[in-house]
Amino acid sequence: MTLPDQSQAALDWRDGSTPVSTRFDDPYFSLANGLAETRHVFLAGNGLPERLCPGFQIAELGFGTGLNLLATAIAAGDVPIRFTSFEAFPMSAPEIARALTAFPEALAVAAPFLEAWGQGRTRFSIGAIEVEVILGDARQTLPAWQGRADAWFLDGFSPAKNPELWGEDLMAEVARHTAPGGTFATYTAAGFVRRGLAAAGFAVERAPGHAGKRHMSRGVKP
């Protein structure tokens, strides 16, 4: 996993363990317990783990620290599923390990991931989950992906700061790579994101957000 310097994550650290992207001026996870946010937004927002079954495919925009993957691994137990994530600016294994110290429960299951990541491998297994992280700009890499997701985690940086990962064309690709009856969930309720997902064919609704955040968004593809 050797990329040009400009493709590496550019970080500052808040309180020693919270990574903040200096490229997008946004933290990688909620300051109000990122693991709890993952469980509320991405797992519960997609009806997980109840929907999980052998061969279930999760896809994600924005891999970040891998926290969503680790929360999924804890929830999935021994159910064999697939997890594909798209990431343009990967963090290094030491940076991820530093960030995960804030979440001992996630760090406790992270060793196979951190070992693979440190070796430059973007395909690996964690528990019963087969993982692939596809590096590069999702606007180029997602159209070439051959898979279709049963659930999407839309977890890019704030739409106001990272609009490239929330544009209408990319949301159309998300829909194109979603199985019938597939779902998405995201922490944002930005109007242009909801409109883009609706235009792509999702039935979109707002739901209560995490930790006092008024709204998040979720939806299903008929």
Side-chain angles (χ1 to χ4, degrees):
M1 188 172 59
T2 302
L3 294 174
D5 289 344
Q6 65 268 24
S7 295
Q8 302 295 322
L11 303 178
D12 196 1
W13 293 86
R14 186 174 300 173
D15 300 325
S17 61
T18 301
V20 178
S21 169
T22 57
R23 184 177 279 109
F24 299 106
D25 187 28
D26 209 22
Y28 274 78
F29 43 72
S30 171
L31 302 181
N33 193 330
L35 183 55
E37 179 186 46
T38 286
R39 287 169 166 157
H40 176 86
V41 173
F42 298 112
L43 296 184
N46 278 293
L48 307 178
E50 293 81 7
R51 294 173 58 211
L52 295 180
C53 58
F56 193 90
Q57 171 76 67
I58 294 171
E60 174 184 59
L61 293 184
F63 183 68
T65 63
L67 185 60
N68 296 341
L69 167 64
L70 297 172
T72 301
I74 294 167
D78 59 0
V79 180
I81 63 173
R82 292 169 294 161
F83 189 105
T84 303
S85 187
F86 297 83
E87 174 61 58
F89 304 109
M91 296 174 66
S92 70
E95 289 167 339
I96 290 173
R98 178 178 175 181
L100 292 177
T101 60
F103 309 107
E105 186 181 359
L107 186 60
V109 301
F113 156 46
L114 291 172
E115 180 180 2
W117 204 247
Q119 295 170 352
R121 291 190 283 127
T122 55
R123 289 175 180 257
F124 54 91
S125 295
I126 179 167
I129 304 180
E130 294 182 10
V131 182
E132 180 180 17
V133 182
I134 298 175
L135 301 178
D137 189 325
R139 291 172 294 181
Q140 280 78 55
T141 57
L142 177 53
W145 185 47
Q146 298 301 306
R148 288 204 301 174
D150 299 295
W152 275 95
F153 299 171
L154 302 182
D155 196 21
F157 290 111
S158 165
K161 298 176 179 180
N162 183 202
E164 298 84 1
L165 211 57
W166 303 94
E168 190 169 305
D169 289 348
L170 189 56
M171 294 302 97
E173 287 294 333
V174 167
R176 191 169 72 83
H177 290 85
T178 302
T183 59
F184 80 85
T186 179
Y187 64 86
T188 184
F192 84 91
V193 173
R194 290 187 290 108
R195 289 190 294 272
L197 286 160
F202 285 100
V204 179
E205 65 176 6
R206 292 192 300 185
H210 166 69
K213 182 175 168 62
R214 189 172 180 184
H215 293 123
M216 56 171 274
S217 302
R218 63 189 182 194
V220 61
K221 181 180 177 183

